[in-house]
Amino acid sequence: MPSPAPVVAGRDHTAQELYDRVAALGPSPFSIEQRTRALDRFISLRSGREKPGRFWRVDFESVAPEARAIDLSAANVRVENNDPAIFVCDLATAARESPELFARAFGTTGIAATKFGSLAAAFAQCGVFVHVPADRACDDPVVIRYTAPAGAAIFPWSIVLAERGARVTIVERLEGGAGAFLCGATEVVTEERADVHYAALQQVDDGARIIWSRAARPGPEARMSWASAELGGELAASDLSVSIEAPGAEANLTAIFFPRGSQHVDVVSTVEHRAGDATSETIVKTAARERGQARFLGNIRIAPHAQGSDARLRDDALLLSPTAHVDSVPALEIGANVVKAYHGATVGAIDAEQIFYMESRGLERGAAERMIALGFFEPAIERFPTAALRDEIRASLAAKLS
Amino acid sequence: MPDQALRITNLRCQIAGKEILKGIDLTVDRGKIHALMGPNGSGKSTLAFAITGHPQYEVTGGSVELDGEDMLALPPDKRARAGLFLSFQYPAAIPGVKVANFLHAARQAERPGDLPPAKFRALLMEKMEQLGIDPSFMGRYLNDGFSGGEKKRVEMLQLAVLAPKYAILDETDSGLDIDALKDVGSSIAALRASEEGRNTGFLIITHYPRILSYVVPDVVHVMIDGRIVKTGGHDLAHRIEREGYDKLREESAVVA
Ligand SMILES: Nc1ncnc2c1ncn2[C@@H]1O[C@H](COP(=O)(O)OP(=O)(O)O)[C@@H](O)[C@H]1O
Ligand SMILES: [Mg+2]
């Protein structure tokens, strides 16, 4: 009986195909050597997304793209930007023409140290670099849109450098056809007193898979806001993280997700308070319906010297069907003693008293339930930028509720 | 000519297997104000929930008819659309649903398409002013973080905006100061003076007779231990104010 011999010792057949693909890639933004090491890490690292139970359908340790689906020319990247003072370009151009600016942000957040951040690094090719010069305040959002054709695997990488005192809103739209695989990364560096509001709207096809890592480093008295709505995908995983290394920073993290049908969504938020006198607020609203599965892990870590930190974490889950699953785990590690740390969580079905109250005002049961469920998301929706984007999210959630 | 009344006949209701209402007969005619008084725990809220169809309250006998239509066969939303309104003793908070949006949805459900949005807004502003509700309430989440008094004012706002055929007010007065009581009184008076609310019949449930100085009842009923033990005019409320419920309780014990 022939046993499948590994092509290279320690690497199975699929892995070898991935290494072959990496070897064929260009050197930007990562060298072949860096890419190969990143792929090593992807293969050897654990995801940190262990299955909370046997009913859990997805095992992240075995999630990988198919080598032959990797088609780096297939990614469609579009950017809308109305402010001529904001510099937007692809990664190769940024590395060539503004190497000093590019190096201040690219690869500085530690994203490429995680399992899926490493996968994104191994194949990174398409991407967008956004540079907002000092003290520039931009009101119109910069919109970045990545689209993967059906069946294709793409690996986008977004980088934002907001210099001191700059302010910008960025909306990242993620789209993909059936069978697509998107594995991307977003790095944001906000320098002193800069203010970046970064919203991600993930609406890939319900037959696509998407895994995205997002990390930010706010400078002294800078503000960083992540807001992510994971609305599509048969499998969606998202990391939102902020590492506070300078005092006076403010971090706002917001996540909305709502698996239904056989969707599976996994969100990890991480706030590292490595410097004191900084505040963070994380708000997560999850609903699950039908056989949808949602997992949330909320990390707050306050270093022993980060006195005066103020960290809040609020996560609420709404179970809309008895067959849906939500697993929500807060993880607070508090090393300092002069801190304010708050965690609050709820999991449950819609309250029968709320339904009766609305019915007694003439609303049909289904309409009442939809209104209550939409209201449940509202405190998180309100933290997204632009009225149009908020309305789009409401409409998208309403469609998932009907 | 159908019966123009909310007619409750020999109504029996239980909660968690325990009989609370032991055969209630009570008829509220259109345009009339009835007061239902009684000590705590006598079953007043149970009656309100049984009439409006709360799923926890199991009706085991009797009937409720609204202008001749059987209410007990309908789900709660259809009872509301038939013209029934309940002002809750403890209104539920609905986080994330704005007062204005909810009121619009309720008005649309009960009177589909009767008012264009601009007119609806004007109606809302007028009623809010009448009730001393700050316009900022339109954008607040329904009953979420409201004080007891604010909740009751917003219940009265809903009453005014929906202008039902029959309104049951469950202890709307409890927890209100005199100014708030006056506002409730004048809002009800304004509703009764309006085209829409001219014929609204009221069942005002109260523990204390205080509110009845602002909304003067045509008929007063007294409920003790799941039964109506006495029905009379406005003077019955005054008698309770003087004597409390004990004397009536003794009399009814003799009868029962
Ligand atoms: N949801 C409930 N579950 C169990 N018992 C209840 C419930 N609601 C009311 N009761 C009981 O029914 C009786 C009547 O209560 P209620 O109708 O609230 O009286 P009232 O409104 O006159 O104060 C009381 O003995 C009360 O304890
Ligand atoms: Mg009561």
Side-chain angles (χ1 to χ4, degrees), chain A residues 42-369:
Chain A
F42 167 66
I43 289 168
S44 61
L45 286 174
R46 293 193 61 81
S47 68
R49 299 182 134 91
E50 279 70 34
K51 287 174 139 192
R54 265 187 305 157
F55 53 86
W56 223 242
R57 286 191 299 272
V58 175
D59 177 9
F60 277 93
E61 308 319 315
S62 62
V63 170
E66 275 191 62
R68 80 185 107 81
I70 298 174
D71 180 357
L72 299 179
S73 61
N76 184 338
V77 184
R78 271 170 295 165
V79 179
E80 290 161 34
N81 168 38
N82 299 325
D83 186 340
I86 295 180
F87 176 64
V88 181
C89 66
D90 63 79
L91 303 187
T93 306
R96 194 174 59 241
E97 293 182 6
S98 321
E100 188 272 328
L101 288 176
F102 188 58
R104 261 152 69 189
F106 176 60
T108 65
T109 61
I111 266 187
T114 63
K115 183 180 181 74
F116 290 107
S118 297
L119 177 62
F123 295 100
Q125 191 176 51
C126 71
V128 175
F129 176 60
V130 179
H131 169 236
V132 191
D135 297 319
R136 183 76 195 179
C138 176
D139 289 321
D140 276 356
V142 175
V143 181
I144 303 172
R145 186 189 299 260
Y146 294 114
T147 309
I154 69 166
F155 302 84
W157 198 291
S158 305
I159 300 152
V160 178
L161 173 65
E163 290 191 289
R164 113 191 95 67
R167 177 166 60 78
V168 69
T169 297
I170 296 176
V171 176
E172 188 173 69
R173 293 176 167 277
L174 306 170
E175 295 161 357
F181 182 93
L182 295 85
C183 179
T186 303
E187 292 185 287
V188 178
V189 171
T190 61
E191 297 188 336
E192 190 174 348
R193 288 180 292 102
D195 181 352
V196 174
H197 199 164
Y198 203 110
L201 183 58
Q202 186 273 95
Q203 292 175 302
V204 301
D205 185 90
D206 284 354
R209 293 179 294 166
I210 179 162
I211 301 175
W212 212 278
S213 311
R214 299 184 175 89
R217 270 194 313 118
E221 289 170 46
R223 177 155 57 187
M224 177 64 214
S225 306
W226 288 121
S228 134
E230 300 288 337
L231 301 171
E234 67 172 341
L235 181 153
S238 162
D239 276 12
L240 296 177
S241 83
V242 179
S243 178
I244 296 171
E245 286 152 22
E250 179 186 327
N252 298 304
L253 290 77
T254 307
I256 287 175
F257 49 119
F258 182 5
R260 64 171 290 191
S262 56
Q263 291 179 305
H264 185 105
V265 186
D266 187 302
V267 173
V268 178
S269 75
T270 305
V271 183
E272 304 263 10
H273 283 262
R274 294 209 176 106
D277 300 317
T279 61
S280 69
E281 182 174 42
T282 305
I283 293 185
V284 175
K285 304 283 175 188
T286 316
R289 216 186 138 179
E290 292 148 0
R291 293 179 61 245
Q293 297 188 330
R295 194 191 70 127
F296 170 65
L297 171 61
N299 296 300
I300 304 273
R301 290 195 272 270
I302 302 180
H305 56 272
Q307 304 292 0
S309 296
D310 182 344
R312 276 162 285 163
L313 168 62
R314 168 97 230 165
D315 67 281
D316 298 296
L318 191 59
L319 280 167
L320 296 169
S321 316
T323 49
H325 282 290
V326 177
D327 186 63
S328 168
V329 182
L332 282 74
E333 285 172 34
I334 300 169
N337 49 17
V338 188
V339 298
K340 281 191 218 158
Y342 163 84
H343 169 246
T346 60
V347 181
I350 294 180
D351 178 14
E353 296 303 322
Q354 292 180 332
I355 295 174
F356 177 66
Y357 183 81
M358 289 195 146
E359 286 182 300
S360 82
R361 300 295 191 253
L363 274 73
E364 281 175 22
R365 190 185 175 89
E369 287 176 347

Side-chain angles (χ1 to χ4, degrees), chain B residues 13-47:
Chain B
C13 174
Q14 60 181 38
I15 310 163
K18 181 177 158 214
E19 179 158 79
I20 307 291
L21 301 183
K22 299 163 182 167
I24 301 287
D25 291 293
L26 200 163
T27 297
V28 178
D29 291 316
R30 292 289 291 274
K32 289 282 189 276
I33 297 181
H34 289 236
L36 176 64
M37 304 183 67
N40 269 331
S42 55
K44 305 183 298 295
S45 293
T46 301
L47 177 63

Side-chain angles (χ1 to χ4, degrees), chain A residues 353-354 357 361-363 382, chain B residues 81 86 93 110 141 155 158:
Chain A
E353 296 303 322
Q354 292 180 332
Y357 183 81
R361 300 295 191 253
L363 274 73
E382 285 186 346
Chain B
R81 294 203 292 276
L86 169 63
E110 299 201 5
Y141 296 159
E155 292 291 282
Q158 297 182 53

Side-chain angles (χ1 to χ4, degrees), chain B residues 101-240:
Chain B
N101 292 353
F102 178 64
L103 279 171
H104 189 247
R107 172 97 189 189
Q108 280 293 115
E110 299 201 5
R111 300 162 182 264
D114 76 334
L115 276 184
K119 281 230 166 103
F120 175 76
R121 250 187 127 68
L123 173 78
L124 210 52
M125 294 309 272
E126 177 201 322
K127 302 293 184 190
M128 286 175 89
E129 165 131 36
Q130 233 163 45
L131 279 158
I133 299 173
D134 190 87
S136 68
F137 267 72
M138 295 244 258
R140 285 187 57 183
Y141 296 159
L142 186 61
N143 296 328
D144 192 26
F146 287 18
S147 73
E150 288 167 347
K151 285 184 188 168
K152 297 299 173 71
R153 283 177 198 261
V154 170
E155 292 291 282
M156 289 302 96
L157 176 64
Q158 297 182 53
L159 167 67
V161 164
L162 296 175
K165 290 180 180 154
Y166 299 94
I168 304 169
L169 274 48
D170 192 359
E171 306 229 9
T172 297
D173 52 335
S174 65
L176 293 187
D177 59 23
I178 292 293
D179 285 342
L181 268 185
K182 282 184 184 159
D183 287 341
V184 167
S186 56
S187 155
I188 289 173
L191 179 62
R192 282 162 55 82
S194 75
E195 183 61 32
E196 285 184 334
R198 199 159 39 88
N199 270 323
T200 299
F202 285 87
L203 181 61
I204 297 180
I205 296 175
T206 180
H207 182 69
Y208 302 105
R210 219 166 45 128
I211 191 178
L212 304 180
S213 326
Y214 301 94
V215 191
V216 180
D218 300 297
V219 186
V220 175
H221 311 270
V222 178
M223 182 188 275
I224 290 177
D225 192 22
R227 291 189 174 87
I228 305 279
V229 297
K230 191 135 191 118
T231 293
H234 193 192
D235 52 322
L236 183 53
H238 292 306
R239 187 182 152 194
I240 289 165

